[in-house]
Short mmCIF file of all heavy atoms in Angstrom, two decimals:
data_model
loop_
_atom_site.label_atom_id
_atom_site.label_comp_id
_atom_site.label_asym_id
_atom_site.label_seq_id
_atom_site.Cartn_x
_atom_site.Cartn_y
_atom_site.Cartn_z
N GLN Z 27 10.37 25.64 -3.28
CA GLN Z 27 11.41 26.15 -2.39
C GLN Z 27 11.99 27.42 -2.99
O GLN Z 27 12.97 27.39 -3.72
CB GLN Z 27 12.50 25.08 -2.19
CG GLN Z 27 12.01 23.78 -1.58
CD GLN Z 27 11.42 23.96 -0.19
OE1 GLN Z 27 11.95 24.71 0.63
NE2 GLN Z 27 10.31 23.28 0.06
N LEU Z 31 10.13 35.74 -5.64
CA LEU Z 31 9.87 35.46 -7.04
C LEU Z 31 10.92 36.13 -7.92
O LEU Z 31 11.30 37.28 -7.69
CB LEU Z 31 8.47 35.97 -7.43
CG LEU Z 31 7.29 35.33 -6.69
CD1 LEU Z 31 5.98 35.92 -7.21
CD2 LEU Z 31 7.29 33.82 -6.84
N TRP Z 55 3.17 35.17 -1.62
CA TRP Z 55 2.73 35.83 -2.85
C TRP Z 55 1.39 35.23 -3.28
O TRP Z 55 0.93 34.24 -2.71
CB TRP Z 55 3.77 35.63 -3.96
CG TRP Z 55 4.33 34.22 -3.98
CD1 TRP Z 55 3.70 33.09 -4.41
CD2 TRP Z 55 5.61 33.80 -3.49
NE1 TRP Z 55 4.51 31.99 -4.23
CE2 TRP Z 55 5.69 32.40 -3.67
CE3 TRP Z 55 6.70 34.47 -2.94
CZ2 TRP Z 55 6.81 31.65 -3.32
CZ3 TRP Z 55 7.81 33.73 -2.57
CH2 TRP Z 55 7.87 32.34 -2.77
N PRO Z 108 3.26 39.87 -4.74
CA PRO Z 108 2.23 40.29 -3.78
C PRO Z 108 1.73 41.71 -4.01
O PRO Z 108 0.68 42.09 -3.48
CB PRO Z 108 2.94 40.16 -2.42
CG PRO Z 108 4.39 40.12 -2.73
CD PRO Z 108 4.50 39.48 -4.07
N GLN Z 111 -2.46 44.01 -7.85
CA GLN Z 111 -3.74 44.46 -7.31
C GLN Z 111 -4.88 44.30 -8.30
O GLN Z 111 -5.95 44.89 -8.13
CB GLN Z 111 -3.62 45.93 -6.88
CG GLN Z 111 -2.59 46.16 -5.78
CD GLN Z 111 -2.49 47.62 -5.37
OE1 GLN Z 111 -2.94 48.52 -6.08
NE2 GLN Z 111 -1.88 47.86 -4.21
N VAL Z 120 -12.97 31.10 -7.57
CA VAL Z 120 -12.91 30.24 -8.75
C VAL Z 120 -13.19 31.09 -9.97
O VAL Z 120 -14.16 31.86 -10.01
CB VAL Z 120 -13.92 29.09 -8.65
CG1 VAL Z 120 -13.88 28.24 -9.92
CG2 VAL Z 120 -13.61 28.22 -7.44
N GLN Z 122 -13.49 31.38 -14.33
CA GLN Z 122 -13.71 30.69 -15.61
C GLN Z 122 -12.57 31.06 -16.57
O GLN Z 122 -12.38 32.26 -16.85
CB GLN Z 122 -15.05 31.06 -16.21
CG GLN Z 122 -16.26 30.57 -15.41
CD GLN Z 122 -16.37 29.06 -15.40
OE1 GLN Z 122 -16.51 28.45 -14.35
NE2 GLN Z 122 -16.29 28.45 -16.55
N LEU Z 132 -0.22 28.98 -21.28
CA LEU Z 132 0.63 27.99 -21.93
C LEU Z 132 1.88 28.64 -22.53
O LEU Z 132 2.97 28.06 -22.50
CB LEU Z 132 -0.16 27.25 -23.02
CG LEU Z 132 -1.33 26.40 -22.52
CD1 LEU Z 132 -2.04 25.73 -23.70
CD2 LEU Z 132 -0.86 25.34 -21.53
N ALA Z 135 4.27 29.82 -19.70
CA ALA Z 135 4.89 28.67 -19.02
C ALA Z 135 6.20 28.26 -19.67
O ALA Z 135 7.05 27.62 -19.03
CB ALA Z 135 3.92 27.49 -18.99
N PRO Z 171 -17.01 20.86 6.68
CA PRO Z 171 -17.12 21.11 8.13
C PRO Z 171 -15.75 21.28 8.78
O PRO Z 171 -14.71 21.04 8.16
CB PRO Z 171 -17.83 19.85 8.64
CG PRO Z 171 -17.49 18.79 7.63
CD PRO Z 171 -17.40 19.49 6.30
N LEU Z 176 -17.09 15.27 11.84
CA LEU Z 176 -17.78 15.56 10.58
C LEU Z 176 -16.81 15.59 9.40
O LEU Z 176 -17.17 15.20 8.28
CB LEU Z 176 -18.53 16.89 10.68
CG LEU Z 176 -19.72 16.93 11.64
CD1 LEU Z 176 -20.47 18.24 11.52
CD2 LEU Z 176 -20.67 15.75 11.40
N LEU Z 179 -16.40 12.02 8.52
CA LEU Z 179 -17.59 11.55 7.82
C LEU Z 179 -17.58 12.00 6.36
O LEU Z 179 -17.80 11.20 5.45
CB LEU Z 179 -18.84 12.08 8.53
CG LEU Z 179 -20.18 11.85 7.80
CD1 LEU Z 179 -20.47 10.36 7.70
CD2 LEU Z 179 -21.31 12.59 8.49
N THR Z 192 -28.12 5.85 4.62
CA THR Z 192 -29.11 6.88 4.89
C THR Z 192 -28.59 7.82 5.96
O THR Z 192 -27.60 7.54 6.64
CB THR Z 192 -30.42 6.25 5.36
OG1 THR Z 192 -30.20 5.61 6.64
CG2 THR Z 192 -30.93 5.22 4.36
N VAL Z 266 -27.03 21.24 -19.03
CA VAL Z 266 -26.62 20.39 -20.15
C VAL Z 266 -26.48 18.97 -19.64
O VAL Z 266 -26.33 18.73 -18.44
CB VAL Z 266 -25.28 20.85 -20.78
CG1 VAL Z 266 -25.41 22.23 -21.40
CG2 VAL Z 266 -24.17 20.84 -19.74
N LYS Z 273 -18.58 17.11 -24.36
CA LYS Z 273 -18.34 17.57 -25.73
C LYS Z 273 -17.88 19.02 -25.74
O LYS Z 273 -16.96 19.41 -26.49
CB LYS Z 273 -19.61 17.42 -26.55
CG LYS Z 273 -19.43 17.77 -28.03
CD LYS Z 273 -20.73 17.53 -28.81
CE LYS Z 273 -20.53 17.86 -30.28
NZ LYS Z 273 -21.78 17.63 -31.06
#
Side-chain angles (χ1 to χ4, degrees):
Q27 300 298 319
L31 298 181
W55 41 74
Q111 298 180 344
V120 177
Q122 293 294 130
L132 295 179
L176 292 187
L179 171 64
T192 65
V266 296
K273 185 177 181 180

